[in-house]
Amino acid sequence: MKMTRRSKCKFIFITGGVVSSLGKGIAAASIGLLLKQRGLSVSILKLDPYLNLDPGTMSPFQHGEVFVTEDGAETDLDLGHYERFIDINMMKENNATAGQIYETVLSNERKGEYLGGTVQIIPHVTNEIKNRVTAVAKSTKCDVLIVEIGGTVGDIESLPFIEAIRQMKFDTLNNSTLYIHLTYVPYITTSGELKTKPTQHSVKKLLEHGIQPDILITRTEHSIPKSAKEKIALFCNVDKKSVIEAIDQPTIYQVPVEFKNNKLDDLICSKLSVKTPESDLESWKKHVKYIKTPVHSVRIAIVGKYIGLKDSYKSIVEAFIHAGSDNKAKVELEWVGSEDIEQKGPENILSDVSGVLVPGGFGERGIEGKLLAVKYAREKNIPFFGICLGMQCAVIEYARNVGGMKNANSTEFARKLKYPVIDLMASQKKVKNKGGTMRLGAFNCEIEKGSKLFDAYEQKTISERHRHRFEVNNDYIGMLEDCGLTVSGKNPDLNLVEAVEITDHPWFVGVQFHPELKSRLTRPHPLFRDFVKAALNYEK
Ligand code: GLN
C-alpha cells in the first residue's frame, strides 16, 4: 500500500451488528452533522460488500433507490442521507463496492503490477480497500472521515473490509481511529425485558476479527436501564459512558439531536483527541420542529410502479419532509400503484388528494395508469409534479389528449410510432452496456423567465442531476408548444428539453432531472417547496 506520509485525518469506522436495517447510514450522517457543527470538515465513505460495481443495475426492489452524485456516479442510497444531513456533495469516490475493489485488483494483476506475487485477499484486496479510504481523506482534505461498512458483522462478504479497517489503526497516527459499533437491544414482550445478549455476541464477533469497539450505539424501542447498560459495558469491554442508547425517534432528523443530548459527539472528540467548540444544532432544530409539530397537513399521491417498497423513492420521501417543514405542514403521502389506476380509474383513487406526483421509472408496465393520473390532475387543476419518467408521461399525455397526436408515446415503450414524442437520446443510440451508461450527473439548465420554474428557483441558470436515456423529441416541440405546453427549461449545450409546464394550470410542472436528489433539511428544494405550497392552496 502506497502511504508515504501518515495523514492527519481522523477515521471513524462504523459497523453494524445483530440485524441489518438498524440505520447505520442515519447514524453515520448524524455523527457527520454533529462534527460539522463543531467546526470540523467531514467526509463519509460507504463501503458496500456486494460484488456489483455499483447499485445502478440492481432492481429498486432489491436495493432501494439509486442515488446519483453530482459527478454522475450511481451510488448507495445512504449517500443521500449523508448529503441531506451534512449538506455536502458526495462524489463517486464516496462509495466503493467489493466489485470495484476486486476489479481494480484484477486489473492490476493483468498489468503485472504484483510482480509475480500470488494475489490474495490479504494483503492485496485489503490494501486496495485501505487505498480507497485514504484516497477520500486525501482528496477531500477532511479533518474526519467517517467510513460506514455495509452489511452486518459476521457476513462472509464483509470480512475483507473488517480486516482492512482493523489494520488501519496501525497504519495511522495514535488516536486517529475510532470504532463505533451499532447494535440492537431487542425487547421481549412476553418477559417484558430488554436483552443484551445479541449485542454481546455481536461484539464478540468483532473481537474475533481483532476489533475492539470504542463506542457502542444501541438501537432500542425502550429506554435501556442503567443496569443493562452496565452489563453491556462489562461484557463488551467498553466503559459505561461509551454505551450510547439510541431509542426509536419519530423522525430520523431527530437522531442527531438525541446523539448530542447523549453527548456522543463530546465522547467521539475526546476519544479522538480533537478539541473544538460544542456542536451547535439550533438552526437544525428549527427545521425539525415543524416535522414533529406541523401546523397544516396535505395529502399528495405518488403514482408509481415500485410502490411496495418506499426505499425505492427514498429521496422523494425525504424531499417532501423538507418541503413540508418549510411549509409548516405534514405531507401525507398516498402510495398509488399505477396499475391500480388502470383497473379502478383515477377518480376512484385520486379524488381525495391535493397533489399528484409521478416519479422516475423504467419500462412499460403501469404507464397507462400514470398517463390517466396525469390527465386527471391536469383536467381537475390538481397540482402536478412529474419527475423524469413522470415528466415524459406528462408530455405523452399532453400530446395525445390536447395535441390530438393519437397514440403518441415514448420509444421506450413502443416501436413504429407515428408520434414518438419521447425518444432515445442521440448519445444513447450506440450504448450496449447497462451499467453506468445513462445520462448521469449534474447538467445546467436555462430557465424561461415568467415560468413556475423561475418563480421557484429565482435564477436563470440552474444545475440539477440526471439519470435517463430518453428525452423529449425536439421534432415535436413546435407542435406541443402550439397546443399550449410551455418548455420552461432547456439544456443550453445539448438543446434538450429539461422542463415543461402548463401555464393556465395552478401548478403543473414536469422536469427531466431529479430535483429530489438535491433537497436537504436545511435547504428544501424550491420545486418541492412550491409544489407542497400549491397543494396546500388547492386543499383550501
Ligand atoms: N425510463 C426513462 C428514461 O430512461 C426515465 C428514467 C427515469 O425516470 N429515471 O429516460
Side-chain angles (χ1 to χ4, degrees), residues 31-269:
I31 291 169
L33 171 68
L34 286 169
L35 297 179
K36 182 188 172 194
Q37 295 308 99
R38 295 178 78 107
L40 295 165
S41 72
V42 181
S43 190
I44 307 201
L45 166 63
K46 172 84 192 274
L47 293 173
D48 278 309
Y50 54 73
L51 288 175
N52 303 59
L53 288 179
D54 60 47
T57 53
M58 285 188 225
S59 153
F61 285 112
Q62 289 239 341
H63 188 272
E65 170 185 271
V66 174
F67 190 80
V68 180
T69 56
E70 287 287 296
D71 59 349
E74 298 181 295
T75 69
D76 185 73
L77 56 74
D78 275 332
L79 273 78
H81 291 309
Y82 307 159
E83 290 204 351
R84 288 187 282 269
F85 277 65
I86 313 174
D87 195 7
I88 49 174
N89 282 341
M90 295 286 119
M91 296 292 169
K92 188 177 181 19
E93 63 172 1
N94 293 90
N95 188 195
T97 68
Q100 290 171 20
I101 310 275
Y102 282 100
E103 190 187 43
T104 306
V105 170
L106 294 177
S107 123
N108 289 346
E109 185 270 341
R110 289 291 85 179
K111 289 185 212 143
E113 287 187 10
Y114 299 119
L115 305 174
T118 306
V119 181
Q120 294 177 298
I121 305 276
I122 307 171
H124 302 99
V125 169
T126 45
N127 279 356
E128 182 50 30
I129 295 171
K130 293 196 285 181
N131 283 343
R132 299 273 173 151
V133 176
T134 44
V136 180
K138 202 166 160 200
S139 73
T140 59
K141 298 193 183 70
C142 58
D143 299 318
V144 183
L145 177 66
I146 299 168
V147 182
E148 180 194 341
I149 318 289
T152 308
V153 168
D155 296 347
I156 290 178
E157 54 184 14
S158 62
L159 281 177
F161 292 92
I162 301 289
E163 168 60 15
I165 65 168
R166 180 194 69 78
Q167 293 174 14
M168 282 207 67
K169 181 168 184 161
F170 305 94
D171 295 339
T172 51
L173 299 168
N174 282 346
N175 300 328
S176 294
T177 54
L178 190 76
Y179 299 94
I180 298 183
H181 190 53
L182 186 71
T183 81
Y184 183 50
V185 178
Y187 181 78
I188 308 295
T189 327
T190 41
S191 65
E193 269 182 309
L194 282 162
K195 290 294 181 189
T196 65
K197 192 80 80 195
T199 294
Q200 296 175 36
H201 281 299
S202 170
V203 172
K204 290 267 149 53
K205 198 86 218 159
L206 261 185
L207 285 166
E208 264 174 40
H209 302 310
I211 293 179
Q212 165 65 57
D214 299 291
I215 297 175
L216 298 175
I217 300 180
T218 49
R219 279 293 308 274
T220 170
E221 285 155 54
H222 300 268
S223 187
I224 304 177
K226 195 160 158 266
S227 59
K229 272 194 198 155
E230 283 170 358
K231 196 166 167 191
I232 294 174
L234 179 69
F235 280 93
C236 300
N237 231 8
V238 297
D239 50 309
K240 277 179 271 177
K241 66 175 195 317
S242 299
V243 181
I244 304 284
E245 170 184 297
I247 196 158
D248 292 357
Q249 295 301 325
T251 158
I252 55 170
Y253 297 102
Q254 179 68 15
V255 173
V257 180
E258 291 304 313
F259 278 0
K260 182 177 160 63
N261 291 344
N262 289 336
K263 303 207 181 322
L264 176 60
D265 55 319
D266 293 345
L267 185 67
I268 290 173
C269 287

Side-chain angles (χ1 to χ4, degrees), residues 2 10 53 57 128 135 176 268 270 295 315 356 363 369 408 454 460 464-465 473 505:
K2 289 176 228 125
K10 307 273 183 179
L53 288 179
T57 53
E128 182 50 30
S176 294
I268 290 173
S270 110
V295 181
S315 293
V356 174
F454 192 84
K460 191 116 189 53
E464 291 282 4
R465 300 183 198 164
N473 185 341
H505 183 286

Side-chain angles (χ1 to χ4, degrees), residues 358-363 367 387-392 410 412-413 422-425 428 438-439 466-471 511-514 516:
V358 179
F362 297 84
I367 287 296
I387 293 179
C388 205
L389 179 67
M391 176 262 211
Q392 298 174 357
S410 163
E412 183 177 356
F413 314 127
I422 307 291
D423 197 10
L424 195 62
M425 278 181 282
Q428 287 286 327
M438 284 187 238
R439 180 179 179 230
H466 297 67
R467 183 174 188 251
H468 62 122
R469 299 187 198 278
F470 292 80
E471 187 42 86
V511 291
Q512 185 56 73
F513 45 82
H514 288 270
E516 71 275 21

Side-chain angles (χ1 to χ4, degrees), residues 436-452:
T437 54
M438 284 187 238
R439 180 179 179 230
L440 288 166
F443 294 92
N444 278 351
C445 169
E446 295 290 329
I447 296 182
E448 279 302 312
K449 283 213 167 121
S451 61
K452 299 266 183 349

